[in-house]
Amino acid sequence: MPQPLHYLRETASQTAGPYVHIGLAPGAAGFDIYREELGWDIAGPNAEGQRIIVEGVVIDGTGAPVKDVLLEAWQADAEGRYAHPDDPRHAEVAEDFRGWGRVITDFETGLWSFQTVKPGQVPARRPLGPAVKVRPQSAGERTDALGRGHQGPRRQAPHINLWIVARGINLGLNTRMYFADEAEANAADAVLNLVEQVHRRETLIARPAGERDGLPVWRFDIRLQGDGETVFFDI
Amino acid sequence: MTPAEYHACDRRRHPPALTPNYKTSVSRSPRFAALSLQNSLSEITGPVFGHNDIDPIDNDLIRNYAKEGEPIGERIIVHGRVLDENARPVPQTLVEIWQANAGGRYRHRKDTYLAPIDPNFGGCGRTLTDADGHYFFRTVKPGAYPWRNWVNDWRPAHIHVSVFGRAFAQRLITQMYFEGDPLIPRCPIVQTIPDPAAIDQLIAPLDMNAGVPLDCLAYRFDIVLRGRRSTMFENRLEGN
Ligand SMILES: [Fe+3]
């Protein structure tokens, strides 16, 4: 027998069930209990950036909208900064920008929507393998401490991270929502490019859908199964 | 500490998406494999909560919705620690719970079970872990309830638990069960979990040392989230 590894094992997930609202959105369950429910304000009034509305439905394998789903959104601010201490730029994030939101679907229609600011570009991972030595081509390019040139920091295309739970979903589903008007950034995004079947990348891209209350609306439908199944991530 | 990625999700520990004995999963489970990502800043960050977000009474389900009296049922404390796979505490993380009342009825507009609503019981609570990752709630023991799956399926007594951890990659919703409940092995939702040891980890033991004599019993429920790598060799998450 080799030496034992004394790691703890993860607590297993269980479905959020049909009554998830009681715990996470009691107002929707039909009662008022907390001073303030969490997750209604993703970007407070002081957060800079373009205000947008994001909406959609979650569709099951039969083509019907899922009416008891809860989604959580996690995003960077308009400058691509997360309100979290592991983001080196978090101190610059506006105080009332949390970047996290929780929404539930309408019990009749299955529609969900939230208001936020459009996120900026977040730094990407450095690619695996040895650093590529490229001489700076112009003054605008930078050199690192070893004198290696590079094209400036690699960044991800603007995106909102989404987490979806509901009755019948055993382990919360992670996906990302990108924006159709960011074609150039999307084409260069490392995560989108990881999706081998090019047509499936489309499932991660929100489309413009007019205006409401003077704000641009982005439509993002999520298909759990079947034609056009959304790409989900193991993060 | 240099930001580092989290251990890969332990897929052998969690239930698969498609579990036909839990019927609702059939039409709500993706058919394609999830695409595995290396962590970036988007995954190693997550919402941060503080004491301004909640009130001290929020973790006391015996009092947080009481109107004219206290809820009916067996009074219990539920406590434990939120840890990661490296056995490090996860401090200052939000833990939210919800449950049925002692009769097995939820205070929810969609719950039509014939057991009565308890006028003094809401059924939800929330708290932040302390510096050691410890949390506690006071509540009443929830009742078992029937649900529409196979003709006579009953949920064992359970409390739903939601935990954030430090990163979006650690986000977890699970359910806590009670030691000795004969409905646990019969429940199709419990049995979505393939590993018997992972099921045992969801069963809280009676903890007589943590109860209050002449007042309430206690159950202990520790929660383990994904661990974080130590940066023995650099593999930077930030690009350049
Ligand atoms: Fe339940």
Side-chain angles (χ1 to χ4, degrees):
Chain A
M1 286 279 278
Q3 294 180 11
L5 281 169
H6 291 294
Y7 291 111
L8 302 179
R9 298 290 302 274
E10 268 187 70
T11 297
S13 168
Q14 290 267 265
T15 179
Y19 306 126
V20 60
H21 318 91
I22 295 178
L24 307 187
F31 68 110
D32 196 21
I33 184 164
Y34 295 136
R35 169 172 47 92
E36 195 180 345
E37 284 188 22
L38 297 171
W40 294 101
D41 260 332
I42 303 178
N46 295 325
E48 75 273 30
Q50 188 200 13
R51 300 270 152 185
I52 58 169
I53 291 171
V54 179
E55 66 171 30
V57 288
V58 178
I59 299 159
D60 72 13
T62 74
V66 181
K67 297 172 182 175
D68 51 9
V69 83
L70 180 133
L71 292 96
E72 287 186 357
W74 173 241
Q75 67 163 84
D77 72 4
E79 299 299 319
R81 302 171 295 216
Y82 283 107
H84 184 280
D86 288 347
D87 188 316
R89 297 185 297 155
H90 78 275
E92 301 157 38
V93 176
E95 209 164 283
D96 60 349
F97 178 86
R98 178 168 261 166
W100 171 75
R102 184 180 259 175
V103 288
I104 54 153
T105 49
D106 183 276
F107 287 129
E108 305 304 324
T109 63
L111 190 73
W112 53 268
S113 82
F114 58 84
Q115 213 189 98
T116 184
V117 296
K118 193 176 172 199
Q121 292 195 272
V122 176
R125 285 179 68 93
R126 192 160 66 171
L128 294 172
V132 181
K133 291 186 184 181
V134 184
R135 284 287 132 205
Q137 301 295 309
S138 69
E141 292 185 17
R142 305 193 292 170
T143 50
D144 67 15
L146 299 175
R148 296 177 300 206
H150 56 84
Q151 309 284 321
R154 282 163 48 95
R155 298 196 298 171
Q156 308 186 50
H159 66 276
I160 298 177
N161 307 285
L162 294 171
W163 187 70
I164 301 145
V165 293
R167 178 173 66 104
I169 295 177
N170 290 325
L171 175 64
L173 297 168
N174 290 100
T175 190
R176 286 180 169 203
M177 185 194 109
Y178 289 83
F179 295 84
D181 65 347
E182 299 280 351
E184 198 181 324
N186 290 344
D189 184 83
V191 169
L192 283 173
N193 281 302
L194 209 54
V195 181
E196 188 184 339
Q197 300 86 356
V198 174
H199 69 280
R200 293 199 71 208
R201 296 175 192 168
E202 297 298 314
T203 69
L204 300 175
I205 296 174
R207 305 281 157 199
E211 277 192 11
R212 197 163 64 234
D213 307 330
L215 300 180
V217 177
W218 289 91
R219 178 83 185 190
F220 188 64
D221 292 339
I222 296 166
R223 288 180 175 75
L224 297 178
Q225 186 192 100
D227 279 349
E229 182 178 307
T230 299
V231 173
F232 297 103
F233 296 110
D234 165 37
I235 61 170
Chain B
M1 188 164 83
T2 319
E5 61 220 319
Y6 285 79
H7 301 159
C9 174
D10 189 350
R11 294 274 154 182
R12 292 164 308 167
R13 206 69 177 161
H14 296 289
L18 175 60
T19 49
N21 271 330
Y22 174 26
K23 296 183 187 179
T24 318
S25 75
V26 174
S27 62
R28 295 185 172 191
S29 44
R31 284 294 174 273
F32 295 119
L35 186 66
S36 295
L37 299 186
Q38 311 283 143
N39 287 176
S40 73
L41 265 185
S42 298
E43 288 78 32
I44 68 159
T45 55
V48 177
F49 299 96
H51 288 281
N52 290 339
D53 290 317
I54 61 175
D55 287 322
I57 198 177
D58 291 352
N59 72 343
D60 187 356
L61 284 72
I62 286 183
R63 282 174 50 227
N64 71 6
Y65 198 75
K67 303 290 183 225
E68 268 136 36
E70 295 203 333
I72 301 284
E74 193 178 318
R75 298 159 67 85
I76 60 169
I77 286 170
V78 174
H79 78 117
R81 294 175 77 199
V82 180
L83 302 164
D84 72 9
E85 290 170 293
N86 300 310
R88 284 195 272 256
V90 183
Q92 190 88 7
T93 194
L94 183 67
V95 180
E96 297 163 292
I97 65 168
W98 69 100
Q99 63 167 92
N101 67 25
R105 173 78 182 267
Y106 281 101
R107 182 177 289 279
H108 191 288
R109 63 178 88 205
K110 296 280 178 189
D111 188 0
T112 54
Y113 179 39
L114 52 79
I117 289 277
D118 184 333
N120 295 307
F121 191 68
C124 63
R126 56 190 189 179
T127 191
L128 291 174
T129 57
D130 68 14
D132 292 323
H134 199 255
Y135 73 90
F136 60 95
F137 291 97
R138 189 169 71 156
T139 185
V140 294
K141 191 174 174 190
Y145 60 85
W147 59 298
R148 289 181 192 279
N149 189 57
W150 302 109
V151 170
N152 193 20
D153 277 335
W154 287 71
R155 295 304 325 281
H158 63 277
I159 297 178
H160 296 266
V161 184
S162 159
V163 196
F164 280 82
R166 183 183 169 89
F168 214 51
Q170 289 180 309
R171 188 80 179 85
L172 178 73
I173 283 181
T174 189
Q175 302 182 29
M176 178 200 114
Y177 303 97
F178 293 85
E179 177 181 8
D181 189 334
L183 291 171
I184 293 172
R186 291 179 159 86
C187 175
I189 289 179
V190 174
Q191 298 303 324
T192 59
I193 299 172
D195 178 354
I199 293 175
D200 288 347
Q201 199 179 349
L202 298 184
I203 303 174
L206 180 69
D207 180 0
M208 291 303 287
N209 291 344
V212 180
L214 304 177
D215 181 340
C216 60
L217 290 168
Y219 288 85
R220 166 116 191 168
F221 188 60
D222 289 340
I223 299 159
V224 181
L225 305 178
R226 288 162 63 179
R228 197 171 201 188
R229 280 172 51 85
S230 36
T231 45
M232 289 179 279
F233 292 96
E234 196 182 24
N235 181 9
R236 283 177 50 188
L237 299 190
E238 284 174 76
N240 60 16

